[in-house]
């Protein structure tokens, strides 16, 4: 029997807090802690002191970028005002752009901060993806194996009608449009792989390469993670050899990461 998922919400009087909101808050808090502690360990106290402001810039950039990407992807401007619809790559690019502007304004080295930011992003990503599970968003293709999950109250629900209309899934004739379909719980896959990315980056945090080398490694593991999980996601944007837009972007990020690692190798 599949797992039946129900959203996680917390009511405080008239205020309703979703599990997604709590996860995002925890993700940015953890990212700030990781970033500051690693900068302090490296003796870069000025940069560490600026991290709270930088995290705020990253949060704003993430929200704007993630929503903008989703609106462009769906062609639905009204999605700007929905509670769901945040795309990781859009948020990543928005956060990098706004953080780069802030770092330049404060006259810090972008690569110096990026070198520790990769560790923090991986940690925050692992925690933040639990929010997608909490609200039933970003689930996968139909599946009946171990951990298969139904999302009757997901965002959107994993009904045959939704899976067919929004994700292009074809069902046998006679399938009821209201039938709740069991799918891959890709949110859990991403959470596990996120912790794996963090473990890899944490293990290499004391490297002897130039600043920015570790961010290159982050780009590689993040791109590979996204490339893998997209094979299980419920998507309708496969356009190049069966690959999704996110997979093409992921491969591009991997190439950028390889270039960064090659150009920031050991000094004499």
């Amino acid at each position: 029997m599949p797992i039946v998922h129900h959203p996680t919400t917390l009511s405080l009087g008239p205020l309703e807090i979703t599990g997604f909101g709590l996860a995002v808050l925890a993700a940015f808090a953890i990212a700030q802690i990781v970033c500051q502690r690693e900068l302090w360990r490296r003796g870069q106290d000025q940069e560490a002191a600026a991290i709270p402001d930088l995290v705020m810039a990253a949060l704003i950039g993430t929200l704007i970028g993630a929503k903008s990407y989703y609106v462009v992807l769906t062609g639905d401007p009204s999605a700007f005002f929905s509670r769901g619809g945040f795309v990781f790559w859009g948020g990543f690019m928005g956060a990098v752009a706004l953080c780069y502007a802030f770092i330049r304004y404060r006259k810090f080295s972008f690569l110096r901060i990026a070198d520790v930011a990769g560790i923090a992003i991986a940690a925050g990503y692992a925690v933040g993806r639990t929010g997608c599970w909490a609200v039933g968003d970003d689930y996968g293709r139909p599946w009946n194996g171990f951990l298969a999950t139904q999302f009757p109250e997901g965002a959107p629900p994993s009904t045959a009608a939704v899976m067919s209309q929004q994700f292009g899934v074809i069902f046998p004739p006679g399938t009821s449009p209201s039938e709740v379909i069991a799918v891959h719980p890709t949110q859990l896959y991403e959470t596990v792989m996120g912790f794996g990315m963090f473990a890899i980056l944490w293990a290499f945090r004391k490297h002897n390469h130039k600043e920015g080398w570790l961010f290159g490694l982050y780009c590689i593991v993040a791109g590979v993670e996204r490339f893998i999980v997209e094979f299980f996601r419920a998507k309708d944007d496969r356009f190049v050899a069966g690959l999704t837009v996110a997979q093409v972007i992921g491969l591009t990020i991997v190439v950028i990461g390889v270039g960064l690692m090659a150009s920031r190798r050991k000094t004499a």
Side-chain angles (χ1 to χ4, degrees):
M1 295 294 292
I3 299 168
V4 180
H5 174 278
H6 298 286
T8 301
T9 58
L10 177 64
S11 297
L12 299 175
L15 181 64
E16 182 182 83
I17 302 175
T18 67
F20 181 81
L22 292 173
V24 170
L25 178 63
F28 278 92
I30 289 171
Q32 177 174 325
I33 292 170
V34 170
C35 238
Q36 282 189 302
R37 286 184 176 273
E38 181 59 13
L39 287 169
W40 282 329
R41 185 189 69 79
R42 297 182 178 201
Q44 298 161 355
D45 294 347
Q46 287 188 335
E47 289 83 352
I51 289 300
D53 292 336
L54 187 63
V55 168
M56 181 58 67
L59 174 59
I60 296 171
T62 296
L63 295 177
I64 294 175
K67 267 294 185 182
S68 299
Y69 187 107
Y70 184 75
V71 168
V72 171
L73 198 65
T74 61
D76 180 16
S78 65
F80 265 121
F81 307 100
S82 65
R83 298 184 72 171
F86 292 91
V87 183
F88 172 72
W89 281 136
F92 175 77
M93 290 184 282
V96 170
L98 204 55
C99 286
Y100 178 80
F102 174 81
I103 291 168
R104 294 290 295 174
Y105 173 74
R106 292 293 301 271
K107 295 181 173 58
F108 292 138
S109 165
F110 176 78
L111 289 179
R112 169 172 291 183
I113 294 179
D115 205 46
V116 301
I119 315 173
I121 295 171
Y125 179 85
V127 174
R129 277 301 180 186
T130 63
C132 296
W133 168 260
V135 297
D137 193 11
D138 293 339
Y139 47 75
R141 296 185 288 105
W143 188 50
N144 290 315
F146 177 66
L147 290 181
T149 306
Q150 295 175 327
F151 294 90
E153 302 171 72
S158 63
T159 61
V162 169
M163 299 291 289
S164 177
Q165 295 168 7
Q166 297 192 21
F167 306 125
V169 179
I170 299 175
F171 294 98
T175 302
S176 171
S178 61
E179 180 181 345
V180 181
I181 307 299
V183 298
H184 283 279
T186 47
Q187 313 97 322
L188 301 183
Y189 302 168
E190 291 177 285
T191 296
V192 172
M193 287 193 284
F195 278 113
M197 291 193 299
F198 170 72
I200 292 171
L201 295 165
W202 186 256
F204 283 97
R205 74 189 188 281
K206 296 181 180 179
H207 68 87
N208 295 318
H209 304 279
K210 294 180 181 178
E211 293 170 338
W213 181 88
L214 194 59
F215 186 69
L217 179 58
Y218 164 77
C219 290
I220 292 174
V221 295
V224 169
E225 183 274 338
R226 173 55 52 177
F227 186 82
I228 293 172
V229 80
E230 285 288 301
F231 286 114
F232 302 96
R233 287 276 301 276
K235 302 293 288 291
D236 64 347
D237 61 344
R238 303 181 188 278
F239 72 108
V240 177
L243 302 181
T244 66
V245 174
Q247 285 177 310
V248 174
I249 294 175
L251 291 176
T252 303
I253 297 295
V254 168
V255 172
I256 293 173
V258 170
L260 264 176
M261 292 186 73
S263 63
R264 310 301 295 177
R265 290 177 299 180
K266 285 185 178 180
T267 57

